[in-house]
Amino acid sequence: MKKLCIVPFTAREIPLLDLLKKQYSIESLVSPKGIGLDGEDVSVLINCQKIGSSITNEVNQSIKRCDTVIVTEVEKEMMSLRTYALTALRCAIDEGKEVYCYLDLEDNEKKEMEQLCKDSGAKLIINSDNEIEAFEDEENLNLFKFETPILYFCEEVPDCDGYSVFLKLTQQLQDRGKSVLAVSSDRYNELIGQKYLNFDAKASITSQLYRINFFVHDLEQRNHPDIIFIKLPYPLMRYNDENVFDCGVSAFLTAQAVPGDGCIYCSHAAPLTVDVWDTYSRSILTKFGYPIVAVHISNRLIDNSGNDSLGVVRIPQQEILKRLDGLRYSTTIPFYHLLINEQIEELGEYIISEFLDLPYGVIK
């Protein structure tokens, strides 16, 4: 196996670890000290049980010891971390490594990196956020129907473990011999054998509707999956007047393009009553046409004490498990904390029995 280095490693990359371990020997997870200290288990980034992989603060030696380097996605607004990532990118290229770059590089930066590759012989794969082309085949506008069960993955607010749950459940079903077509707007997807779709393509609403329908249908026809997973890029509804996201527009559009059979709903840790959940489930069914199949309660707690109305506090997993005890047996909706293996296995069994192992197949 090739030895892999990921830099800068943040909480965003934790969902990738289990899948990457199937392809690589993970040599180093490199973070600046402002993210994690040398030797700490990466679980400290999300306050969960130990994962078994440690952070290092040493960049140059970590890159030298590996064969492949993933330079991760960093927003341009995070200037100091982006500078750190660019330094690591230059180091990896100078060392002649195979490099997967998820930074959005400026034109002058691309030219610089291309010249460095010529000098060192490094192999650079730049994964830019290419927009999906508009669907413009006016003579063949047609909404295809789907023969495969479809589950959506959505978050109440961003950073409620949606990508982790999406990947873990995909892996769980694959490990049980099921073929899963997993689609989302996460740019790491193609690195781990999943499918990337940009839901923000610059096109008319009608064009986006037909384009998403065609894209997923085409993948269904070519891959013949047992089930299709689609992770939505934004929450289903506005959270409050400060955080409206897209008011559920992309979720509704996608549901019209690719009608689903249910959703896995990822919530933050604020306690809610059973009545609220039942009402919310009915609202989602009425608006989007699919019910809540299961709820994942994240250990993310909304912290309104600062300037950010969606500030993040990660409470211990044990607190979440205590809250689940009061929910799991008092409502028809299954509740889980799906970062725990036993619970992702339980949900995997439930989905297989409810959507896949059907005596008469899927009837739509």
Side-chain angles (χ1 to χ4, degrees):
M1 278 189 172
K2 290 183 177 180
K3 295 180 179 179
L4 177 68
C5 172
I6 304 177
V7 57
F9 186 83
T10 68
R12 180 185 291 178
E13 286 71 50
I14 289 177
L16 304 174
L17 291 180
D18 285 343
L19 292 168
L20 288 174
K21 285 175 182 177
K22 295 185 174 183
Q23 305 174 50
Y24 298 96
S25 171
I26 298 180
E27 181 73 18
S28 302
L29 306 175
V30 185
S31 303
K33 291 181 179 179
I35 291 177
L37 296 178
D38 198 272
E40 285 186 317
D41 190 272
V42 297
S43 59
V44 302
L45 303 181
I46 56 172
N47 198 11
C48 71
Q49 62 186 5
K50 287 193 174 182
I51 293 172
S53 299
S54 299
I55 294 168
T56 179
N57 301 136
E58 174 53 53
V59 180
N60 294 347
Q61 291 302 316
S62 296
I63 290 174
K64 287 180 180 180
R65 290 194 300 267
C66 73
D67 305 301
T68 302
V69 178
I70 297 174
V71 179
T72 58
E73 184 177 8
V74 179
E75 288 80 5
K76 291 181 179 179
E77 295 77 18
M78 303 175 69
M79 296 177 62
S80 60
L81 187 59
R82 188 173 187 277
T83 299
Y84 182 92
L86 281 170
T87 301
L89 177 60
R90 293 187 183 98
C91 176
I93 293 174
D94 286 340
E95 293 292 334
K97 305 298 182 180
E98 177 184 56
V99 185
Y100 290 87
C101 177
Y102 287 87
L103 290 171
D104 282 326
L105 299 175
E106 303 289 348
D107 288 342
N108 63 313
E109 292 170 339
K110 285 182 182 178
K111 290 178 181 178
E112 176 193 353
M113 302 308 165
E114 288 168 358
Q115 184 58 53
L116 289 174
C117 286
K118 289 179 182 179
D119 295 339
S120 67
K123 179 182 178 182
L124 176 62
I125 302 100
I126 298 175
N127 291 270
S128 57
D129 187 11
N130 295 320
E131 291 182 348
I132 293 175
E133 296 177 3
F135 186 75
E136 297 177 347
D137 189 355
E138 298 292 343
E139 295 182 359
N140 294 292
L141 289 180
N142 184 29
L143 284 177
F144 296 100
K145 296 187 180 298
F146 295 86
E147 303 300 326
T148 309
I150 296 165
L151 290 183
Y152 280 96
F153 291 71
C154 56
E155 295 181 294
E156 187 163 18
V157 296
D159 196 25
C160 287
D161 307 325
Y163 195 41
S164 288
V165 171
F166 172 75
L167 293 184
K168 278 182 173 292
L169 199 54
T170 297
Q171 183 182 357
Q172 177 64 210
L173 265 63
Q174 288 175 335
D175 289 346
R176 292 168 180 258
K178 303 300 181 182
S179 173
V180 182
L181 171 59
V183 180
S184 79
S185 61
D186 299 278
R187 289 168 57 187
Y188 295 130
N189 278 4
E190 294 179 0
L191 180 69
I192 52 178
Q194 314 307 335
K195 304 301 179 183
Y196 169 80
L197 173 62
N198 182 357
F199 291 85
D200 289 330
K202 292 181 179 178
S204 69
I205 290 176
T206 302
S207 181
Q208 289 186 59
L209 175 73
Y210 285 105
R211 182 65 183 92
I212 292 171
N213 174 269
F214 175 84
F215 179 88
V216 178
H217 179 263
D218 183 60
L219 288 173
E220 179 190 38
Q221 294 302 301
R222 287 192 281 117
N223 293 276
H224 304 288
D226 296 313
I227 193 166
I228 297 172
F229 289 168
I230 299 176
K231 178 180 170 289
L232 294 169
Y234 305 111
L236 291 179
M237 301 176 187
R238 70 168 69 194
Y239 181 70
N240 55 30
D241 289 342
E242 292 182 32
N243 300 280
V244 300
F245 308 113
D246 71 343
C247 295
V249 171
S250 61
F252 182 78
L253 175 70
T254 308
Q256 301 308 302
V258 186
D261 297 285
C263 73
I264 310 300
Y265 189 85
C266 299
S267 171
H268 58 74
L272 294 174
T273 65
V274 171
D275 289 342
V276 170
W277 277 113
D278 287 340
T279 301
Y280 197 52
S281 181
R282 288 194 296 271
S283 175
I284 290 174
L285 178 60
T286 301
K287 184 173 182 180
F288 299 102
Y290 48 74
I292 294 178
V293 171
V295 175
H296 162 74
I297 304 294
S298 169
N299 69 331
R300 168 181 175 154
L301 192 64
I302 302 297
D303 178 16
N304 295 320
S305 60
N307 295 326
D308 184 358
S309 63
L310 286 181
V312 181
V313 173
R314 290 278 184 175
I315 63 177
Q317 282 184 316
Q318 283 301 120
E319 292 297 317
I320 297 302
L321 297 180
K322 290 178 183 177
R323 297 184 186 191
L324 284 179
D325 288 340
L327 283 170
R328 297 197 74 180
Y329 305 105
S330 56
T331 177
T332 57
I333 304 170
F335 286 83
Y336 302 93
H337 181 62
L338 294 168
L339 300 189
I340 293 178
N341 290 336
E342 293 80 6
Q343 298 206 12
I344 200 79
E345 290 171 4
E346 183 180 330
L347 179 57
E349 289 179 3
Y350 176 79
I351 287 174
I352 289 172
S353 66
E354 291 293 317
F355 294 95
L356 299 182
D357 290 348
L358 304 175
Y360 301 106
V362 179
I363 301 171
K364 289 196 173 186

